[in-house]
Tab-separated table of all heavy atoms in Angstrom:
chain	number	residue	atom	x	y	z
A	1	MET	N	-109.506	-40.121	-116.869
A	1	MET	CA	-110.070	-41.438	-117.148
A	1	MET	C	-109.262	-42.466	-116.371
A	1	MET	O	-108.085	-42.459	-116.267
A	1	MET	CB	-109.952	-41.745	-118.650
A	1	MET	CG	-111.229	-41.526	-119.348
A	1	MET	SD	-111.106	-41.967	-121.104
A	1	MET	CE	-109.743	-40.977	-121.637
A	2	LYS	N	-109.999	-43.446	-115.863
A	2	LYS	CA	-109.385	-44.507	-115.056
A	2	LYS	C	-108.866	-45.639	-115.931
A	2	LYS	O	-107.910	-46.296	-115.584
A	2	LYS	CB	-110.489	-45.016	-114.107
A	2	LYS	CG	-110.068	-45.977	-113.084
A	2	LYS	CD	-111.177	-46.306	-112.118
A	2	LYS	CE	-110.740	-47.303	-111.079
A	2	LYS	NZ	-111.832	-47.630	-110.140
A	3	PHE	N	-109.519	-45.879	-117.083
A	3	PHE	CA	-109.132	-46.997	-117.948
A	3	PHE	C	-108.849	-46.502	-119.333
A	3	PHE	O	-109.259	-45.440	-119.792
A	3	PHE	CB	-110.251	-48.032	-118.001
A	3	PHE	CG	-110.675	-48.574	-116.670
A	3	PHE	CD1	-111.870	-48.218	-116.071
A	3	PHE	CD2	-109.825	-49.391	-115.960
A	3	PHE	CE1	-112.244	-48.660	-114.859
A	3	PHE	CE2	-110.181	-49.886	-114.719
A	3	PHE	CZ	-111.403	-49.530	-114.165
A	4	ALA	N	-108.105	-47.342	-120.113
A	4	ALA	CA	-107.736	-46.992	-121.492
A	4	ALA	C	-108.123	-48.194	-122.379
A	4	ALA	O	-108.345	-49.313	-121.933
A	4	ALA	CB	-106.259	-46.738	-121.590
A	5	ILE	N	-108.157	-47.906	-123.689
A	5	ILE	CA	-108.419	-48.976	-124.663
A	5	ILE	C	-107.391	-50.088	-124.489
A	5	ILE	O	-106.198	-49.831	-124.336
A	5	ILE	CB	-108.371	-48.418	-126.086
A	5	ILE	CG1	-109.588	-47.480	-126.250
A	5	ILE	CG2	-108.433	-49.549	-127.125
A	5	ILE	CD1	-109.581	-46.703	-127.569
A	6	GLY	N	-107.870	-51.328	-124.423
A	6	GLY	CA	-107.005	-52.493	-124.229
A	6	GLY	C	-106.920	-52.985	-122.809
A	6	GLY	O	-106.471	-54.120	-122.567
A	7	ASP	N	-107.383	-52.175	-121.857
A	7	ASP	CA	-107.387	-52.644	-120.492
A	7	ASP	C	-108.386	-53.755	-120.278
A	7	ASP	O	-109.440	-53.796	-120.891
A	7	ASP	CB	-107.785	-51.468	-119.523
A	7	ASP	CG	-106.631	-50.473	-119.346
A	7	ASP	OD1	-105.517	-50.731	-119.823
A	7	ASP	OD2	-106.918	-49.426	-118.700
A	8	VAL	N	-108.069	-54.675	-119.402
A	8	VAL	CA	-108.936	-55.797	-119.047
A	8	VAL	C	-109.585	-55.520	-117.711
A	8	VAL	O	-108.883	-55.194	-116.727
A	8	VAL	CB	-108.152	-57.135	-119.006
A	8	VAL	CG1	-109.112	-58.291	-118.634
A	8	VAL	CG2	-107.477	-57.425	-120.341
A	9	VAL	N	-110.916	-55.545	-117.702
A	9	VAL	CA	-111.644	-55.145	-116.465
A	9	VAL	C	-112.719	-56.155	-116.180
A	9	VAL	O	-113.014	-57.075	-116.994
A	9	VAL	CB	-112.333	-53.735	-116.695
A	9	VAL	CG1	-111.300	-52.658	-116.908
A	9	VAL	CG2	-113.296	-53.769	-117.909
A	10	VAL	N	-113.311	-56.051	-115.011
A	10	VAL	CA	-114.493	-56.826	-114.619
A	10	VAL	C	-115.469	-55.861	-113.941
A	10	VAL	O	-115.076	-54.808	-113.497
A	10	VAL	CB	-114.174	-57.993	-113.678
A	10	VAL	CG1	-113.330	-59.038	-114.357
A	10	VAL	CG2	-113.494	-57.513	-112.409
A	11	LEU	N	-116.726	-56.281	-113.885
A	11	LEU	CA	-117.691	-55.517	-113.126
A	11	LEU	C	-117.382	-55.596	-111.645
A	11	LEU	O	-116.846	-56.637	-111.166
A	11	LEU	CB	-119.115	-56.024	-113.378
A	11	LEU	CG	-119.682	-55.784	-114.761
A	11	LEU	CD1	-120.986	-56.533	-114.922
A	11	LEU	CD2	-119.922	-54.281	-114.929
A	12	ASN	N	-117.643	-54.547	-110.904
A	12	ASN	CA	-117.447	-54.572	-109.433
A	12	ASN	C	-118.188	-55.736	-108.800
A	12	ASN	O	-117.779	-56.299	-107.784
A	12	ASN	CB	-117.912	-53.279	-108.819
A	12	ASN	CG	-117.029	-52.103	-109.166
A	12	ASN	OD1	-115.823	-52.272	-109.347
A	12	ASN	ND2	-117.601	-50.920	-109.277
A	13	SER	N	-119.318	-56.126	-109.392
A	13	SER	CA	-120.138	-57.249	-108.864
A	13	SER	C	-119.693	-58.608	-109.357
A	13	SER	O	-120.294	-59.598	-108.996
A	13	SER	CB	-121.600	-56.978	-109.212
A	13	SER	OG	-121.717	-56.930	-110.626
A	14	GLY	N	-118.614	-58.638	-110.189
A	14	GLY	CA	-118.134	-59.912	-110.693
A	14	GLY	C	-118.490	-60.133	-112.148
A	14	GLY	O	-119.019	-59.232	-112.803
A	15	GLY	N	-118.183	-61.302	-112.630
A	15	GLY	CA	-118.521	-61.610	-114.011
A	15	GLY	C	-117.242	-61.930	-114.848
A	15	GLY	O	-116.146	-61.995	-114.285
A	16	PRO	N	-117.402	-62.021	-116.137
A	16	PRO	CA	-116.261	-62.372	-116.988
A	16	PRO	C	-115.322	-61.209	-117.168
A	16	PRO	O	-115.672	-60.058	-117.003
A	16	PRO	CB	-116.925	-62.727	-118.331
A	16	PRO	CG	-118.169	-61.900	-118.352
A	16	PRO	CD	-118.645	-61.864	-116.914
A	17	LYS	N	-114.076	-61.543	-117.547
A	17	LYS	CA	-113.103	-60.479	-117.934
A	17	LYS	C	-113.552	-59.890	-119.226
A	17	LYS	O	-114.011	-60.562	-120.125
A	17	LYS	CB	-111.728	-61.081	-118.059
A	17	LYS	CG	-111.088	-61.483	-116.780
A	17	LYS	CD	-109.678	-61.995	-116.990
A	17	LYS	CE	-109.063	-62.423	-115.699
A	17	LYS	NZ	-107.659	-62.870	-115.906
A	18	MET	N	-113.449	-58.541	-119.293
A	18	MET	CA	-113.852	-57.802	-120.476
A	18	MET	C	-112.712	-56.901	-120.939
A	18	MET	O	-111.918	-56.443	-120.103
A	18	MET	CB	-115.063	-56.962	-120.215
A	18	MET	CG	-116.227	-57.706	-119.603
A	18	MET	SD	-117.689	-56.687	-119.298
A	18	MET	CE	-117.119	-55.676	-117.915
A	19	THR	N	-112.610	-56.667	-122.212
A	19	THR	CA	-111.572	-55.789	-122.767
A	19	THR	C	-112.212	-54.479	-123.249
A	19	THR	O	-113.218	-54.505	-123.967
A	19	THR	CB	-110.876	-56.450	-123.956
A	19	THR	OG1	-110.284	-57.701	-123.503
A	19	THR	CG2	-109.725	-55.557	-124.489
A	20	ILE	N	-111.675	-53.361	-122.803
A	20	ILE	CA	-112.178	-52.063	-123.262
A	20	ILE	C	-111.693	-51.831	-124.684
A	20	ILE	O	-110.520	-51.950	-124.965
A	20	ILE	CB	-111.687	-50.967	-122.319
A	20	ILE	CG1	-112.312	-51.113	-120.933
A	20	ILE	CG2	-112.017	-49.573	-122.894
A	20	ILE	CD1	-111.851	-50.219	-119.881
A	21	PHE	N	-112.641	-51.499	-125.590
A	21	PHE	CA	-112.215	-51.222	-126.964
A	21	PHE	C	-112.715	-49.906	-127.497
A	21	PHE	O	-112.373	-49.497	-128.589
A	21	PHE	CB	-112.579	-52.383	-127.891
A	21	PHE	CG	-114.023	-52.514	-128.236
A	21	PHE	CD1	-114.535	-51.994	-129.428
A	21	PHE	CD2	-114.854	-53.245	-127.401
A	21	PHE	CE1	-115.886	-52.148	-129.741
A	21	PHE	CE2	-116.191	-53.391	-127.719
A	21	PHE	CZ	-116.704	-52.830	-128.889
A	22	PHE	N	-113.415	-49.143	-126.686
A	22	PHE	CA	-113.844	-47.792	-127.084
A	22	PHE	C	-114.231	-46.987	-125.840
A	22	PHE	O	-114.839	-47.526	-124.935
A	22	PHE	CB	-115.053	-47.851	-128.059
A	22	PHE	CG	-115.327	-46.558	-128.749
A	22	PHE	CD1	-114.612	-46.200	-129.870
A	22	PHE	CD2	-116.265	-45.690	-128.277
A	22	PHE	CE1	-114.852	-45.039	-130.551
A	22	PHE	CE2	-116.505	-44.476	-128.904
A	22	PHE	CZ	-115.844	-44.174	-130.067
A	23	VAL	N	-113.828	-45.749	-125.800
A	23	VAL	CA	-114.206	-44.819	-124.752
A	23	VAL	C	-115.138	-43.819	-125.324
A	23	VAL	O	-114.872	-43.106	-126.254
A	23	VAL	CB	-112.944	-44.101	-124.170
A	23	VAL	CG1	-113.365	-43.176	-123.057
A	23	VAL	CG2	-111.927	-45.131	-123.636
A	24	TYR	N	-116.408	-43.831	-124.761
A	24	TYR	CA	-117.468	-42.976	-125.292
A	24	TYR	C	-117.363	-41.522	-124.829
A	24	TYR	O	-117.773	-40.636	-125.556
A	24	TYR	CB	-118.827	-43.507	-124.940
A	24	TYR	CG	-119.370	-44.420	-126.010
A	24	TYR	CD1	-119.231	-45.797	-125.898
A	24	TYR	CD2	-119.963	-43.901	-127.112
A	24	TYR	CE1	-119.696	-46.619	-126.875
A	24	TYR	CE2	-120.406	-44.719	-128.126
A	24	TYR	CZ	-120.260	-46.077	-127.983
A	24	TYR	OH	-120.746	-46.906	-128.977
A	25	SER	N	-116.934	-41.278	-123.603
A	25	SER	CA	-116.931	-39.914	-123.145
A	25	SER	C	-115.837	-39.659	-122.115
A	25	SER	O	-115.497	-40.559	-121.349
A	25	SER	CB	-118.284	-39.516	-122.556
A	25	SER	OG	-118.608	-40.379	-121.508
A	26	GLU	N	-115.296	-38.506	-122.120
A	26	GLU	CA	-114.382	-38.098	-121.107
A	26	GLU	C	-115.159	-37.767	-119.843
A	26	GLU	O	-116.289	-37.262	-119.960
A	26	GLU	CB	-113.593	-36.857	-121.565
A	26	GLU	CG	-112.701	-37.094	-122.738
A	26	GLU	CD	-111.423	-37.791	-122.393
A	26	GLU	OE1	-110.974	-37.690	-121.223
A	26	GLU	OE2	-110.844	-38.450	-123.261
A	27	PRO	N	-114.588	-37.977	-118.654
A	27	PRO	CA	-115.331	-37.595	-117.447
A	27	PRO	C	-115.429	-36.091	-117.343
A	27	PRO	O	-114.596	-35.346	-117.740
A	27	PRO	CB	-114.459	-38.164	-116.333
A	27	PRO	CG	-113.135	-38.421	-116.918
A	27	PRO	CD	-113.309	-38.597	-118.369
A	28	THR	N	-116.598	-35.639	-116.794
A	28	THR	CA	-116.798	-34.199	-116.532
A	28	THR	C	-117.218	-34.102	-115.064
A	28	THR	O	-117.278	-35.124	-114.345
A	28	THR	CB	-117.915	-33.634	-117.429
A	28	THR	OG1	-119.174	-34.255	-117.069
A	28	THR	CG2	-117.628	-33.858	-118.900
A	29	GLU	N	-117.538	-32.905	-114.645
A	29	GLU	CA	-117.970	-32.699	-113.284
A	29	GLU	C	-119.266	-33.384	-112.953
A	29	GLU	O	-119.513	-33.768	-111.806
A	29	GLU	CB	-118.107	-31.211	-112.969
A	29	GLU	CG	-116.837	-30.468	-112.911
A	29	GLU	CD	-117.009	-28.989	-112.583
A	29	GLU	OE1	-117.997	-28.629	-112.005
A	29	GLU	OE2	-116.091	-28.237	-112.956
A	30	ILE	N	-120.137	-33.568	-113.997
A	30	ILE	CA	-121.446	-34.188	-113.730
A	30	ILE	C	-121.630	-35.546	-114.382
A	30	ILE	O	-122.628	-36.212	-114.139
A	30	ILE	CB	-122.576	-33.266	-114.199
A	30	ILE	CG1	-122.451	-32.923	-115.661
A	30	ILE	CG2	-122.608	-32.022	-113.336
A	30	ILE	CD1	-123.602	-32.197	-116.275
A	31	GLU	N	-120.669	-35.988	-115.187
A	31	GLU	CA	-120.831	-37.272	-115.862
A	31	GLU	C	-119.481	-38.000	-115.866
A	31	GLU	O	-118.440	-37.415	-116.094
A	31	GLU	CB	-121.261	-37.038	-117.285
A	31	GLU	CG	-121.635	-38.294	-118.044
A	31	GLU	CD	-122.177	-37.956	-119.423
A	31	GLU	OE1	-123.229	-37.374	-119.522
A	31	GLU	OE2	-121.532	-38.346	-120.383
A	32	GLU	N	-119.519	-39.299	-115.624
A	32	GLU	CA	-118.317	-40.114	-115.641
A	32	GLU	C	-118.098	-40.715	-117.005
A	32	GLU	O	-118.983	-40.716	-117.848
A	32	GLU	CB	-118.331	-41.176	-114.578
A	32	GLU	CG	-119.467	-42.182	-114.740
A	32	GLU	CD	-119.525	-43.157	-113.551
A	32	GLU	OE1	-118.540	-43.369	-112.858
A	32	GLU	OE2	-120.604	-43.673	-113.342
A	33	ALA	N	-116.890	-41.224	-117.242
A	33	ALA	CA	-116.558	-41.839	-118.527
A	33	ALA	C	-117.407	-43.109	-118.699
A	33	ALA	O	-117.769	-43.773	-117.751
A	33	ALA	CB	-115.085	-42.232	-118.593
A	34	THR	N	-117.715	-43.384	-119.975
A	34	THR	CA	-118.441	-44.596	-120.343
A	34	THR	C	-117.531	-45.409	-121.286
A	34	THR	O	-116.921	-44.875	-122.210
A	34	THR	CB	-119.745	-44.262	-121.056
A	34	THR	OG1	-120.550	-43.432	-120.197
A	34	THR	CG2	-120.520	-45.506	-121.417
A	35	TYR	N	-117.460	-46.739	-121.034
A	35	TYR	CA	-116.563	-47.596	-121.778
A	35	TYR	C	-117.362	-48.677	-122.538
A	35	TYR	O	-118.316	-49.228	-121.970
A	35	TYR	CB	-115.595	-48.307	-120.844
A	35	TYR	CG	-114.740	-47.352	-120.085
A	35	TYR	CD1	-115.120	-46.867	-118.832
A	35	TYR	CD2	-113.541	-46.869	-120.606
A	35	TYR	CE1	-114.327	-45.983	-118.121
A	35	TYR	CE2	-112.737	-45.969	-119.920
A	35	TYR	CZ	-113.144	-45.510	-118.658
A	35	TYR	OH	-112.369	-44.644	-117.978
A	36	LYS	N	-116.943	-48.979	-123.772
A	36	LYS	CA	-117.547	-50.033	-124.518
A	36	LYS	C	-116.580	-51.246	-124.368
A	36	LYS	O	-115.390	-51.117	-124.644
A	36	LYS	CB	-117.663	-49.670	-125.989
A	36	LYS	CG	-118.534	-50.627	-126.786
A	36	LYS	CD	-118.780	-50.059	-128.171
A	36	LYS	CE	-119.917	-50.780	-128.833
A	36	LYS	NZ	-120.225	-50.201	-130.154
A	37	CYS	N	-117.111	-52.338	-123.877
A	37	CYS	CA	-116.323	-53.522	-123.594
A	37	CYS	C	-116.795	-54.727	-124.378
A	37	CYS	O	-117.980	-54.802	-124.733
A	37	CYS	CB	-116.378	-53.878	-122.087
A	37	CYS	SG	-115.827	-52.570	-121.001
A	38	GLN	N	-115.897	-55.668	-124.597
A	38	GLN	CA	-116.287	-56.934	-125.253
A	38	GLN	C	-115.733	-58.100	-124.432
A	38	GLN	O	-114.706	-57.941	-123.806
A	38	GLN	CB	-115.878	-56.987	-126.696
A	38	GLN	CG	-114.363	-56.960	-126.933
A	38	GLN	CD	-114.025	-56.931	-128.409
A	38	GLN	OE1	-114.932	-56.780	-129.280
A	38	GLN	NE2	-112.797	-57.095	-128.716
A	39	TRP	N	-116.437	-59.190	-124.476
A	39	TRP	CA	-116.045	-60.409	-123.773
A	39	TRP	C	-116.631	-61.636	-124.499
A	39	TRP	O	-117.495	-61.479	-125.356
A	39	TRP	CB	-116.466	-60.357	-122.297
A	39	TRP	CG	-117.952	-60.359	-122.123
A	39	TRP	CD1	-118.715	-61.479	-121.837
A	39	TRP	CD2	-118.868	-59.274	-122.143
A	39	TRP	NE1	-120.070	-61.139	-121.717
A	39	TRP	CE2	-120.174	-59.746	-121.914
A	39	TRP	CE3	-118.731	-57.901	-122.420
A	39	TRP	CZ2	-121.288	-58.950	-121.903
A	39	TRP	CZ3	-119.857	-57.118	-122.393
A	39	TRP	CH2	-121.104	-57.623	-122.121
A	40	PHE	N	-116.192	-62.801	-124.144
A	40	PHE	CA	-116.687	-64.030	-124.753
A	40	PHE	C	-117.612	-64.768	-123.799
A	40	PHE	O	-117.317	-64.856	-122.585
A	40	PHE	CB	-115.528	-64.947	-125.148
A	40	PHE	CG	-114.734	-64.431	-126.289
A	40	PHE	CD1	-113.552	-63.743	-126.108
A	40	PHE	CD2	-115.131	-64.665	-127.563
A	40	PHE	CE1	-112.828	-63.277	-127.141
A	40	PHE	CE2	-114.422	-64.190	-128.682
A	40	PHE	CZ	-113.243	-63.494	-128.437
A	41	ASP	N	-118.698	-65.252	-124.351
A	41	ASP	CA	-119.608	-66.149	-123.619
A	41	ASP	C	-119.645	-67.406	-124.479
A	41	ASP	O	-120.321	-67.453	-125.478
A	41	ASP	CB	-121.007	-65.524	-123.492
A	41	ASP	CG	-121.975	-66.442	-122.763
A	41	ASP	OD1	-121.531	-67.428	-122.150
A	41	ASP	OD2	-123.178	-66.152	-122.807
A	42	LYS	N	-118.804	-68.376	-124.054
A	42	LYS	CA	-118.544	-69.597	-124.866
A	42	LYS	C	-117.937	-69.127	-126.200
A	42	LYS	O	-116.909	-68.477	-126.227
A	42	LYS	CB	-119.786	-70.427	-125.023
A	42	LYS	CG	-120.273	-70.898	-123.677
A	42	LYS	CD	-121.522	-71.752	-123.771
A	42	LYS	CE	-121.957	-72.116	-122.380
A	42	LYS	NZ	-123.239	-72.716	-122.332
A	43	ALA	N	-118.600	-69.383	-127.326
A	43	ALA	CA	-118.016	-68.985	-128.609
A	43	ALA	C	-118.604	-67.656	-129.115
A	43	ALA	O	-118.295	-67.198	-130.241
A	43	ALA	CB	-118.268	-70.085	-129.639
A	44	LYS	N	-119.445	-67.056	-128.339
A	44	LYS	CA	-120.166	-65.841	-128.754
A	44	LYS	C	-119.446	-64.597	-128.215
A	44	LYS	O	-119.076	-64.542	-127.026
A	44	LYS	CB	-121.596	-65.851	-128.227
A	44	LYS	CG	-122.420	-64.670	-128.542
A	44	LYS	CD	-123.794	-64.841	-127.924
A	44	LYS	CE	-124.546	-63.538	-127.922
A	44	LYS	NZ	-125.782	-63.649	-127.173
A	45	VAL	N	-119.232	-63.571	-129.054
A	45	VAL	CA	-118.655	-62.312	-128.613
A	45	VAL	C	-119.800	-61.408	-128.143
A	45	VAL	O	-120.788	-61.232	-128.853
A	45	VAL	CB	-117.871	-61.599	-129.742
A	45	VAL	CG1	-117.361	-60.250	-129.280
A	45	VAL	CG2	-116.732	-62.476	-130.221
A	46	CYS	N	-119.644	-60.849	-126.946
A	46	CYS	CA	-120.663	-59.983	-126.368
A	46	CYS	C	-120.094	-58.580	-126.276
A	46	CYS	O	-118.885	-58.409	-126.107
A	46	CYS	CB	-121.062	-60.484	-124.997
A	46	CYS	SG	-121.709	-62.170	-124.975
A	47	VAL	N	-120.957	-57.588	-126.303
A	47	VAL	CA	-120.514	-56.157	-126.190
A	47	VAL	C	-121.477	-55.442	-125.262
A	47	VAL	O	-122.682	-55.716	-125.244
A	47	VAL	CB	-120.583	-55.497	-127.588
A	47	VAL	CG1	-120.304	-54.025	-127.503
A	47	VAL	CG2	-119.618	-56.170	-128.536
A	48	GLY	N	-120.935	-54.526	-124.475
A	48	GLY	CA	-121.790	-53.740	-123.568
A	48	GLY	C	-121.127	-52.415	-123.202
A	48	GLY	O	-119.932	-52.215	-123.358
A	49	LEU	N	-121.968	-51.466	-122.783
A	49	LEU	CA	-121.525	-50.157	-122.289
A	49	LEU	C	-121.597	-50.123	-120.784
A	49	LEU	O	-122.602	-50.521	-120.196
A	49	LEU	CB	-122.426	-49.045	-122.862
A	49	LEU	CG	-122.406	-48.832	-124.363
A	49	LEU	CD1	-123.484	-47.811	-124.731
A	49	LEU	CD2	-121.046	-48.400	-124.804
A	50	PHE	N	-120.529	-49.594	-120.173
A	50	PHE	CA	-120.441	-49.599	-118.716
A	50	PHE	C	-119.869	-48.256	-118.231
A	50	PHE	O	-118.918	-47.718	-118.802
A	50	PHE	CB	-119.518	-50.717	-118.224
A	50	PHE	CG	-120.003	-52.053	-118.661
A	50	PHE	CD1	-119.486	-52.634	-119.800
A	50	PHE	CD2	-120.967	-52.748	-117.938
A	50	PHE	CE1	-119.941	-53.884	-120.260
A	50	PHE	CE2	-121.412	-53.971	-118.366
A	50	PHE	CZ	-120.915	-54.547	-119.522
A	51	SER	N	-120.474	-47.736	-117.149
A	51	SER	CA	-119.915	-46.519	-116.499
A	51	SER	C	-118.646	-46.871	-115.734
A	51	SER	O	-118.526	-47.971	-115.244
A	51	SER	CB	-120.942	-45.966	-115.548
A	51	SER	OG	-122.134	-45.586	-116.225
A	52	GLU	N	-117.796	-45.885	-115.628
A	52	GLU	CA	-116.497	-46.094	-114.976
A	52	GLU	C	-116.665	-46.644	-113.556
A	52	GLU	O	-115.933	-47.548	-113.122
A	52	GLU	CB	-115.759	-44.778	-114.932
A	52	GLU	CG	-114.345	-44.919	-114.434
A	52	GLU	CD	-113.541	-43.626	-114.644
A	52	GLU	OE1	-113.634	-42.755	-113.815
A	52	GLU	OE2	-112.832	-43.584	-115.681
A	53	SER	N	-117.649	-46.152	-112.804
A	53	SER	CA	-117.829	-46.561	-111.416
A	53	SER	C	-118.250	-48.010	-111.254
A	53	SER	O	-118.167	-48.553	-110.158
A	53	SER	CB	-118.793	-45.632	-110.683
A	53	SER	OG	-120.072	-45.757	-111.324
A	54	THR	N	-118.710	-48.685	-112.328
A	54	THR	CA	-119.136	-50.048	-112.232
A	54	THR	C	-117.994	-51.036	-112.558
A	54	THR	O	-118.210	-52.244	-112.457
A	54	THR	CB	-120.310	-50.369	-113.210
A	54	THR	OG1	-119.885	-50.191	-114.543
A	54	THR	CG2	-121.475	-49.401	-112.926
A	55	LEU	N	-116.801	-50.533	-112.945
A	55	LEU	CA	-115.692	-51.400	-113.387
A	55	LEU	C	-114.503	-51.305	-112.463
A	55	LEU	O	-114.277	-50.315	-111.754
A	55	LEU	CB	-115.243	-50.978	-114.774
A	55	LEU	CG	-116.282	-51.018	-115.876
A	55	LEU	CD1	-115.702	-50.393	-117.134
A	55	LEU	CD2	-116.698	-52.446	-116.151
A	56	LYS	N	-113.751	-52.401	-112.440
A	56	LYS	CA	-112.467	-52.423	-111.738
A	56	LYS	C	-111.487	-53.237	-112.543
A	56	LYS	O	-111.901	-54.048	-113.403
A	56	LYS	CB	-112.617	-53.005	-110.332
A	56	LYS	CG	-113.039	-54.498	-110.310
A	56	LYS	CD	-113.223	-54.994	-108.913
A	56	LYS	CE	-113.689	-56.442	-108.882
A	56	LYS	NZ	-113.901	-56.936	-107.547
A	57	PRO	N	-110.202	-53.027	-112.372
A	57	PRO	CA	-109.203	-53.819	-113.136
A	57	PRO	C	-109.338	-55.335	-112.845
A	57	PRO	O	-109.607	-55.702	-111.697
A	57	PRO	CB	-107.870	-53.304	-112.637
A	57	PRO	CG	-108.141	-52.022	-112.010
A	57	PRO	CD	-109.553	-52.080	-111.480
A	58	ALA	N	-109.197	-56.123	-113.884
A	58	ALA	CA	-109.234	-57.585	-113.684
A	58	ALA	C	-107.916	-57.996	-113.037
A	58	ALA	O	-106.867	-57.446	-113.320
A	58	ALA	CB	-109.433	-58.291	-115.012
A	59	GLU	N	-107.991	-58.996	-112.162
A	59	GLU	CA	-106.768	-59.486	-111.530
A	59	GLU	C	-106.010	-60.305	-112.532
A	59	GLU	O	-106.559	-61.134	-113.265
A	59	GLU	CB	-107.129	-60.312	-110.323
A	59	GLU	CG	-107.710	-59.501	-109.184
A	59	GLU	CD	-107.971	-60.321	-107.954
A	59	GLU	OE1	-107.374	-61.400	-107.788
A	59	GLU	OE2	-108.766	-59.904	-107.135
A	60	SER	N	-104.695	-60.108	-112.604
A	60	SER	CA	-103.871	-60.841	-113.512
A	60	SER	C	-103.618	-62.249	-112.991
A	60	SER	O	-103.471	-62.459	-111.791
A	60	SER	CB	-102.520	-60.134	-113.653
A	60	SER	OG	-101.665	-60.863	-114.467
A	61	GLU	N	-103.609	-63.176	-113.903
A	61	GLU	CA	-103.340	-64.574	-113.544
A	61	GLU	C	-101.931	-65.001	-113.953
A	61	GLU	O	-101.669	-66.179	-114.025
A	61	GLU	CB	-104.415	-65.495	-114.158
A	61	GLU	CG	-105.785	-65.223	-113.684
A	61	GLU	CD	-106.823	-66.047	-114.394
A	61	GLU	OE1	-106.448	-66.826	-115.284
A	61	GLU	OE2	-108.025	-65.884	-114.106
A	62	GLY	N	-101.129	-64.049	-114.277
A	62	GLY	CA	-99.782	-64.342	-114.723
A	62	GLY	C	-99.628	-64.235	-116.220
A	62	GLY	O	-100.539	-63.838	-116.917
A	63	PRO	N	-98.475	-64.674	-116.767
A	63	PRO	CA	-98.211	-64.478	-118.197
A	63	PRO	C	-98.994	-65.353	-119.128
A	63	PRO	O	-99.028	-65.120	-120.324
A	63	PRO	CB	-96.688	-64.773	-118.286
A	63	PRO	CG	-96.395	-65.671	-117.130
A	63	PRO	CD	-97.362	-65.268	-116.031
A	64	HIS	N	-99.610	-66.410	-118.617
A	64	HIS	CA	-100.416	-67.326	-119.516
A	64	HIS	C	-101.848	-67.298	-119.160
A	64	HIS	O	-102.455	-68.315	-118.892
A	64	HIS	CB	-99.846	-68.728	-119.387
A	64	HIS	CG	-98.403	-68.828	-119.726
A	64	HIS	ND1	-97.942	-68.712	-121.035
A	64	HIS	CD2	-97.300	-68.998	-118.954
A	64	HIS	CE1	-96.614	-68.806	-121.041
A	64	HIS	NE2	-96.227	-69.012	-119.773
A	65	GLU	N	-102.457	-66.134	-119.167
A	65	GLU	CA	-103.873	-66.023	-118.838
A	65	GLU	C	-104.765	-66.777	-119.803
A	65	GLU	O	-104.592	-66.865	-120.959
A	65	GLU	CB	-104.323	-64.549	-118.810
A	65	GLU	CG	-103.693	-63.844	-117.667
A	65	GLU	CD	-104.204	-62.397	-117.590
A	65	GLU	OE1	-105.423	-62.234	-117.544
A	65	GLU	OE2	-103.407	-61.499	-117.552
């Protein structure tokens, strides 16, 4: 697995920072891991499922993100 619970990621195509809070499946020869992520859109909490290949680590902005 490329990511773990608590990792902060973004979509390869951009978008908000998201936190991984559940891993749905371990990668296999024919299927990649799927991650459940949450993020904020203003005051609303959003949740989505994403395949490993669609995510990358979020860039750190320092100790006061």
Side-chain angles (χ1 to χ4, degrees):
M1 259 183 305
K2 188 174 180 180
F3 303 108
I5 293 172
D7 286 352
V8 179
V9 297
V10 293
L11 289 170
N12 290 327
S13 59
K17 289 183 180 181
M18 305 182 290
T19 303
I20 294 174
F21 73 98
F22 194 82
V23 179
Y24 268 97
S25 59
E26 295 281 337
T28 65
E29 289 182 24
I30 58 172
E31 188 175 296
E32 61 186 335
T34 302
Y35 301 92
K36 192 170 196 178
C37 301
Q38 63 184 11
W39 66 97
F40 289 96
D41 180 12
K42 298 180 183 168
K44 179 181 165 188
V45 177
C46 302
V47 175
L49 294 175
F50 302 94
S51 298
E52 187 170 85
S53 62
T54 65
L55 300 172
K56 64 182 179 182
E59 292 185 20
S60 176
E61 295 175 1
H64 301 288
E65 290 186 54

